[in-house]
């Protein structure tokens, strides 16, 4: 006797929840990260979106343990290109609200631990280990190689796309 | 003897009295305070503790090592029962093993929550440097937990009791290795005057036996005060004598450790620091570790011919107090004394070289330590309500002893 | 066969790189590492061909001079919180006074980059490690902050980060809850520069600190270390430190 009512209530509730979540999914756009410097990222956006964490993880071990310091997949490389400046011309932290790292990570609800240790802005001008060297290296690579879909360098495919990374 | 052990009946406490629930609530609150303290230490950083770049291990480590050593030592009651076949001990094997597990959990909780990055516990569990004694200890501690749980199963399951001696031997061996490992955390440190001594490993074994026996006397005393469980006179007498023996063995190792240091010129300044002019450390050593924690308990245990329970309980409590002083002097005092970078020369710098480092324990770290003890007791209190850990009062004794107040089994 | 060719290729590339860096160095005129045969390009892994070391002539160490310490703090962004007990110090000046004679020496004390580092032995996760070229580092990605390495280090070379940090240098990541110490300015060494302290000491015209490849018999440091008497601190521990001192 009571059952049809309960049943109807459950169905209605489920539908309501479904429609609300659909609305949420429609309403929030996937953030479109932009680079401040350079025209093209080191890999196509889709590759970066899916695999940047693996690249960073791989690079981090290479850098710390082996001293390999190629800027291409380095966190520093990301920051050098993607850190924005405010009106006063100072860099804004990449993990500040609305900035490069935080927009996507907020969208994906993934907490990152990088910036408890790592700098959030590029190095100041004039330091020997500065971003100029890095961005130059990056631009050089960016222009010399094409990054159409499926044209990912072999090593990258091996290492990143086939689950070579950990964590 | 075997027939007797088969006939032991166990029970869980009913745990419905107000006293039981008040006790549980107190333990929950203290454990929560410990967790809150750990959270503060993690979010604010270790700056909220008294630990610094000179004294890098502080109160949490005193508590953690106390809990771990005690966990290993308290299992001795079960070992004596099932490995050495002493009938009086057998009824208390389950309680002994339970305390071993819960105190180990408490100790590990303190140790882990004191880490700079407790969120990376998974790293510690997956990445190992097998040359590190810490890495060995991760296996020794978790392995000990497994062995004791199996041991408990053997003791609980009547069909498995034939294996309980075998598992008991494994647990006994494991305990010795575990406490050797814990002592070696310090014993293998070449850098500091207080450590770098292999004698610390056997000393830690004896410390664990002494602390563990004291803990068992206190906990079994408390349980028999509030429940109908009873520690028979013969058992009490044995525990009393065992405690005296272990306290003497510990002080023997303490004497040899200090004698060796006194003989070796290189270490004489360190001995002068601990024994004569180390301020709080000297006070803790002579006043608490030696007088309160060693001499008075020995007098209580050996001079009183009749095993009056309150006297034995007092002796055990004093041994526990002394154990904290001993660990404090060893762990904190050992770090407060400066490292000898240039033997025979005086050094000074902006980094406290050549001076006695200061360390004042702060509230969060003390709370974390107490929280660990509280968690151990909390799990114990709940466990004896859920499962029959406690031996039922022997029928022979019921007539002799008036019924205890409070909970009934 | 292919391996041999690869090797040949890598040697040739390293040689060319060395030439290139040498040229740049000559043009800039900064303090470069002597013994450029081992300087590497960005994409090469470090090898044990080099063992980086330091030779410190304490007799040239100016009294009250703190230039190496300041340079280190500046380079690695070691700004403190005015809490001396918990602030990090990677290098410090040590006054050493002989109890009998009263003779005073001052010298910089830093991570000694041992060949057999106790900090690496005791680290449970392997976060404390020794790079192929002998530089002892903390991998802060795997450091759990147990501080056992600080208990084990005979030189008190390590610091624990006791509170949250901001404004780190991009080349020197450091953060709360992990242990750190002198890195020999590994980011500079990898690009062919000497550590900041050595550079500053040279600029201060003291020139008390020399840095280079101990494995290269032709390097300035190897030649000097062979000529003069130098010693390790706590040589009794037999750790074979990479930092050696003259005049103590």
């Amino acid at each position: 006797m009571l059952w049809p009512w309960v049943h109807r209530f459950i169905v209605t509730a489920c539908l309501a929840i479904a429609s609300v979540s659909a609305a949420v999914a429609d309403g929030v756009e996937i953030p479109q990260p932009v680079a401040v410097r350079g025209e093209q990222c080191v890999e196509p956006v889709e590759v970066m979106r899916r695999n940047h964490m693996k690249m960073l993880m791989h690079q981090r071990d290479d850098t710390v343990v082996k001293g390999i310091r190629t800027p291409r997949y380095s966190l520093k490389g990301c920051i050098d290109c993607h850190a924005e400046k405010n009106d006063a011309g100072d860099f804004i932290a990449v993990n500040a609200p609305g900035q490069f790292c935080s927009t996507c990570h907020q969208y994906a609800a993934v907490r990152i631990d990088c910036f408890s240790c790592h700098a959030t802005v590029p190095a100041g001008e004039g330091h020997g280990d500065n971003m100029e060297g890095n961005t130059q290296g990056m631009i050089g690579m960016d222009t010399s190689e094409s990054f159409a879909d499926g044209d990912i360098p072999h090593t990258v495919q091996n290492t990143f796309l086939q689950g070579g990374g950990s964590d | 003897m075997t027939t007797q052990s088969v006939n032991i009946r166990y029970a869980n406490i009913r745990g419905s009295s107000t006293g039981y629930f008040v006790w549980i609530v107190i333990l929950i609150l203290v454990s929560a305070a410990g967790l809150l303290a750990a959270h503060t230490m993690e979010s604010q950083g270790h700056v909220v503790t008294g630990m610094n770049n000179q004294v890098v291990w502080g109160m949490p480590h005193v508590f953690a090592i106390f809990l771990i050593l005690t966990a290993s030592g308290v299992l001795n009651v079960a070992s004596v029962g099932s490995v050495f076949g002493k009938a009086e001990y057998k009824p208390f094997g389950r309680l002994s093993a339970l305390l071993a597990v819960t105190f180990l959990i408490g100790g590990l909780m303190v140790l882990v929550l004191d880490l700079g990055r407790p969120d990376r516990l998974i790293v510690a569990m997956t990445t190992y440097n097998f040359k590190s004694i810490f890495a060995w200890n991760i296996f020794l501690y978790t392995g000990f937990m497994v062995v004791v749980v199996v041991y408990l199963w053997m003791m609980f399951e009547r069909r498995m009791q034939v294996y309980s001696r075998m598992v008991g031997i494994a647990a006994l061996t494991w305990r010795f290795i575990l406490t050797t490992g814990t002592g070696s955390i310090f014993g293998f440190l070449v850098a500091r005057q207080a450590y770098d001594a292999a004698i610390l490993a056997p000393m830690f074994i004896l410390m664990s036996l002494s602390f563990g026996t004291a803990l068992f006397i206190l906990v079994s005393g408390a349980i028999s005060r509030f429940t109908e469980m009873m520690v028979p006179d013969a058992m009490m007498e044995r525990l009393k004598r065992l405690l005296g023996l272990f306290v003497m063995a510990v002080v023997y190792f303490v004497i040899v450790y200090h004698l060796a240091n006194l003989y070796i010129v290189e270490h004489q300044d360190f001995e002068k620091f601990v024994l004569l002019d180390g301020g709080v450390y000297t006070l803790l050593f002579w006043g608490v570790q030696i007088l309160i924690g060693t001499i008075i308990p020995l007098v209580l245990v050996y001079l009183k011919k009749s095993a009056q329970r309150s006297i034995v309980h007092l002796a055990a409590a004093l041994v526990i107090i002394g154990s904290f002083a001993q660990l404090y002097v060893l762990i904190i005092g050992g770090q407060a004394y400066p490292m000898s970078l240039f033997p025979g020369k005086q050094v000074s710098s902006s980094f406290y070289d050549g001076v006695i480092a200061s360390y004042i324990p702060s509230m969060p770290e003390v709370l974390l330590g107490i929280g660990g003890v509280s968690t151990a007791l909390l799990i114990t209190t709940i466990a004896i309500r859920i499962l029959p850990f406690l031996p039922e009062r022997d029928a022979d004794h019921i007539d002799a002893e008036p019924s205890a107040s409070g909970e009934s089994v | 066969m292919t391996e041999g060719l690869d090797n040949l290729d890598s040697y040739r590339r390293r040689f060319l790189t060395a030439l290139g860096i040498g040229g740049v160095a000559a043009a800039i005129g900064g303090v470069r590492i002597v013994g450029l045969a081992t300087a590497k390009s960005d994409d090469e892994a470090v090898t044990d061909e080099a063992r980086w070391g330091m030779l410190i002539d304490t007799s040239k160490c100016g009294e009250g001079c703190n230039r190496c310490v300041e340079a280190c703090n500046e380079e690695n962004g070691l700004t403190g919180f005015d809490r001396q007990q918990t602030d990090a110090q990677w290098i410090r000046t040590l006054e050493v006074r002989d109890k009998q004679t009263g003779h005073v020496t001052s010298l910089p004390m830093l991570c000694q980059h041992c060949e057999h580092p106790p900090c690496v032995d005791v680290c449970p996760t392997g976060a404390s490690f020794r790079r192929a070229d002998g530089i002892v580092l903390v991998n802060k990605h795997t450091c759990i902050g147990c501080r056992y390495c600080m208990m084990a280090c005979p030189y008190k070379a390590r610091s624990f980060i006791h509170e949250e940090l901001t404004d780190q240098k991009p080349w020197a990541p450091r953060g709360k809850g992990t242990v750190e110490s002198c890195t020999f300015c590994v980011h500079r060494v990898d690009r062919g520069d000497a550590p900041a302290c050595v550079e500053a000491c040279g600029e201060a015209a003291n020139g008390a600190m020399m840095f280079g490849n101990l494995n290269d018999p032709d390097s300035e440091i190897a030649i000097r270390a062979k000529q003069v008497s130098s010693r390790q601190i706590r040589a009794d521990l037999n750790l074979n430190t990479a930092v050696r001192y003259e005049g103590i």
Side-chain angles (χ1 to χ4, degrees):
Chain A
M1 245 171 283
L2 200 62
W3 175 240
W5 287 98
V6 174
H7 186 248
R8 192 172 298 171
F9 175 76
I10 291 172
V11 170
T12 321
C14 287
L15 282 174
I17 290 166
S19 59
V20 167
S21 42
V24 168
D26 287 345
V28 180
E29 277 177 35
I30 299 174
Q32 295 298 326
V34 283
V36 177
R37 270 162 296 282
E39 307 215 320
Q40 181 140 35
C41 197
V42 294
E43 298 292 341
V45 172
E46 305 79 69
V47 177
M48 292 311 289
R49 244 193 205 133
R50 214 165 270 286
N51 296 305
H52 69 279
M53 66 298 280
K54 293 176 192 164
M55 296 171 181
L56 286 170
M57 187 75 83
H58 188 264
Q59 173 84 18
R60 131 199 150 169
D61 293 338
D62 275 355
T63 305
V64 174
V65 179
K66 298 182 194 155
I68 293 171
R69 292 177 182 274
T70 44
R72 181 165 184 152
Y73 299 118
S74 74
L75 180 65
K76 216 158 59 167
C78 303
I79 295 167
D80 285 347
C81 276
H82 291 286
E84 287 181 37
K85 283 186 177 177
N86 63 15
D87 295 340
D90 298 322
F91 281 113
I92 312 170
V94 284
N95 61 339
Q99 295 302 302
F100 179 69
C101 293
S102 54
T103 40
C104 278
H105 276 273
Q106 206 175 343
Y107 177 83
V110 175
R111 196 175 69 93
I112 46 169
D113 190 25
C114 308
F115 299 108
S116 58
C117 287
H118 281 279
T120 54
V121 291
E125 325 283 329
H127 192 279
D129 193 282
N130 63 11
M131 51 183 239
E132 281 160 45
N134 286 347
T135 34
Q136 270 165 20
M138 196 88 68
I139 289 162
M141 277 189 298
D142 285 356
T143 46
S144 64
E145 290 174 43
S146 122
F147 288 105
D149 267 358
D151 194 22
I152 302 153
H154 182 63
T155 49
V156 177
Q157 279 187 346
N158 272 347
T159 322
F160 305 119
L161 304 184
Q162 289 160 16
S166 60
D167 197 303
Chain B
M1 259 201 297
T2 41
T3 46
Q4 197 178 345
S5 73
V6 171
N7 290 335
I8 304 164
R9 280 177 306 154
Y10 295 89
N12 37 351
I13 60 169
R14 219 187 299 126
S16 53
S17 70
T18 320
Y20 182 83
F21 281 104
V22 169
W23 176 236
I24 291 273
V25 167
I26 290 171
L27 291 177
I28 287 175
L29 288 179
V30 176
S31 304
L35 291 179
L36 191 71
H39 177 73
T40 314
M41 280 165 63
E42 201 200 344
S43 54
Q44 310 271 311
H46 275 60
V47 72
V48 300
T49 71
M51 291 177 269
N52 49 51
N53 283 329
Q54 288 61 244
V55 177
V56 301
W57 284 355
M59 249 358 217
H61 302 81
V62 171
F63 273 94
I65 290 169
F66 167 79
L67 286 162
I68 290 166
L69 287 181
T70 308
S72 160
V74 78
L75 190 65
N76 198 48
V77 171
S79 296
V80 175
S82 56
V83 178
F84 302 111
K86 294 271 188 286
E88 291 91 338
Y89 288 81
K90 285 209 170 154
F92 298 97
R94 292 183 183 181
L95 177 61
S96 152
L98 171 67
L99 286 169
V101 172
T102 58
F103 272 66
L104 190 67
I105 291 174
L108 292 184
M109 175 186 130
V110 177
L111 209 56
V112 165
L113 291 179
D114 168 75
L115 293 177
R117 298 295 306 254
D119 53 317
R120 287 191 186 151
L121 187 60
I122 191 76
V123 175
M125 306 298 274
T126 50
T127 331
Y128 289 108
N129 164 29
F130 286 104
K131 205 180 172 185
S132 165
I133 298 162
F134 249 23
W136 306 347
N137 280 345
I138 294 172
F139 287 102
L140 289 175
Y141 298 154
T142 47
F144 181 70
M145 200 99 76
V146 173
V147 170
V148 178
V149 168
V150 172
Y151 195 16
L152 267 174
W153 176 41
M154 303 292 132
M155 288 193 275
F156 266 89
E157 178 60 62
R158 202 154 284 230
R159 286 170 302 163
M160 290 294 176
Q161 270 173 10
V162 280
Y163 302 111
S164 84
R165 181 156 193 274
M166 214 170 67
V167 180
I169 291 170
L172 181 72
T173 316
W174 202 284
R175 281 170 47 208
F176 282 124
I177 300 172
L178 182 146
T179 28
T180 302
T182 310
S184 304
I185 290 176
F186 300 95
F188 290 6
L189 283 185
V190 77
R192 292 170 194 265
Q193 303 270 306
Y195 313 138
D196 186 20
I199 196 176
L200 288 179
M203 187 164 112
F204 270 55
I205 295 180
L206 267 309
M207 281 157 73
S208 93
L209 289 167
S210 165
F211 306 170
T213 307
L215 177 84
F216 188 83
I217 290 173
L218 286 181
V219 171
S220 61
I223 292 177
S224 38
R225 163 90 177 73
F226 294 108
T227 73
E228 281 183 7
M229 184 190 90
M230 205 203 59
V231 185
D233 286 342
M235 174 67 177
M236 207 60 205
E237 183 60 30
R238 282 186 179 277
L239 284 174
K240 186 190 96 168
R241 269 191 260 145
L242 213 50
L243 181 68
L245 195 69
F246 290 146
V247 169
M248 279 202 291
V250 170
V251 81
Y252 164 77
F253 276 99
V254 170
I255 290 169
V256 174
Y257 167 83
H258 286 292
L259 271 183
N261 277 349
L262 282 168
Y263 194 87
I264 299 164
V265 179
E266 185 194 353
H267 297 309
Q268 282 172 357
D269 283 346
F270 169 69
E271 284 304 314
K272 195 162 157 272
F273 167 69
V274 175
L275 303 180
L276 288 180
D277 53 15
V280 64
Y281 304 104
T282 305
L283 188 73
L284 282 173
F285 178 78
W286 289 114
V288 185
Q289 180 186 339
I290 297 299
L291 183 66
I292 296 178
T294 307
I295 295 176
I296 298 180
L298 284 179
V299 168
L300 292 177
V301 165
Y302 284 110
L303 287 196
K304 276 278 185 180
K305 217 42 185 154
S306 64
Q308 206 185 330
R309 272 158 205 259
S310 54
I311 296 286
V312 183
H313 291 160
L314 177 64
L318 293 181
V319 168
I320 297 282
I321 292 170
S323 74
F324 272 93
Q326 181 172 14
L327 289 170
Y328 194 93
V329 171
L330 183 76
I331 298 172
I332 317 250
Q335 295 171 80
Y337 187 78
M339 273 185 283
S340 165
L341 282 171
F342 295 90
K345 301 196 181 190
Q346 218 162 35
V347 292
S348 61
S349 77
S350 58
F351 209 46
Y352 301 93
D353 286 289
V355 295
I356 306 295
S358 89
Y359 168 75
I360 300 154
S362 77
M363 204 50 162
E365 53 189 318
V366 176
L367 276 180
L368 172 60
I370 295 174
V373 178
S374 167
T375 305
L377 293 175
L378 179 65
I379 304 172
T380 310
T381 314
I382 294 171
I384 57 173
R385 186 176 191 259
I386 296 172
L387 287 171
F389 278 100
L390 307 179
E392 270 187 9
R393 180 179 290 244
D394 211 333
D396 302 341
H397 291 274
I398 285 178
D399 299 326
E401 290 270 327
S403 172
S405 60
E407 285 296 323
S408 56
V409 261
Chain C
M1 280 310 282
T2 0
E3 239 183 312
L5 282 175
D6 279 353
N7 269 342
L8 195 66
D9 197 40
S10 108
Y11 285 136
R12 188 168 54 215
R13 191 171 42 170
R14 215 168 289 160
F15 177 61
L16 291 174
T17 319
L19 277 183
I21 291 179
V24 174
I28 298 171
V31 177
R32 310 295 301 196
I33 296 169
V34 185
L36 284 168
T38 42
K40 67 174 198 67
S41 65
D42 272 352
D43 60 341
E44 271 180 298
V46 287
T47 64
D48 58 4
E49 274 173 51
R51 183 179 181 207
W52 300 114
M54 203 179 268
L55 184 61
I56 297 167
D57 186 349
T58 58
S59 65
K60 290 185 186 162
C61 212
E63 210 184 312
C65 175
N66 217 23
R67 289 294 299 274
C68 51
V69 178
E70 288 160 11
C72 174
N73 292 348
E74 168 67 26
E75 175 74 21
N76 296 295
L78 304 185
T79 47
F81 296 87
D82 277 329
R83 286 190 266 275
Q84 209 185 348
Q85 291 197 328
T86 49
D87 283 347
Q89 292 195 32
W90 290 10
I91 181 172
R92 61 195 192 265
T93 49
L94 209 62
E95 297 262 298
V96 184
R97 194 180 138 271
D98 193 301
K99 281 181 194 165
Q100 181 68 39
T101 64
H103 179 76
V104 176
T105 321
S106 59
L107 53 91
M109 189 70 212
L110 64 159
C111 172
Q112 303 286 299
H113 296 278
C114 314
E115 189 192 352
H116 309 290
C119 59
V120 172
D121 289 345
V122 301
C123 177
T125 65
S128 187
F129 73 104
R130 189 171 175 274
R131 233 168 61 140
D133 58 359
I135 300 181
V136 175
L137 297 172
V138 179
N139 185 345
K140 295 187 184 78
H141 302 110
T142 46
C143 173
I144 55 173
C146 73
R147 297 146 9 244
Y148 197 15
C149 55
M150 299 175 73
M151 292 289 282
C153 174
Y155 305 101
K156 204 165 179 284
R158 290 203 158 169
S159 298
F160 181 65
I161 307 295
H162 287 77
E163 44 205 309
E164 195 152 319
L165 302 179
T166 49
D167 295 329
Q168 293 93 329
K169 302 286 185 190
W171 48 88
R174 40 197 301 269
K176 183 184 74 187
T178 56
V179 176
E180 59 181 26
S181 57
C182 157
T183 64
F184 259 176
C185 283
V186 65
H187 57 285
R188 294 170 60 101
V189 172
D190 280 348
R191 64 169 194 251
D193 284 345
C197 54
V198 176
E199 190 177 88
C201 188
E203 280 169 4
N206 286 344
M209 302 169 91
M210 186 184 280
F211 185 84
N213 180 2
L214 295 170
N215 279 356
D216 175 5
D218 298 326
S219 69
E220 200 187 337
I221 188 170
I223 293 167
R224 172 98 188 148
K226 199 173 177 185
Q227 279 170 354
V228 299
S229 158
S230 68
R231 53 164 287 197
Q232 314 173 41
I233 296 177
R234 293 295 311 263
D236 57 318
L237 302 177
N238 204 15
L239 303 174
N240 190 10
T241 59
V243 181
R244 304 293 176 108
Y245 294 84
E246 289 176 48
I248 52 168

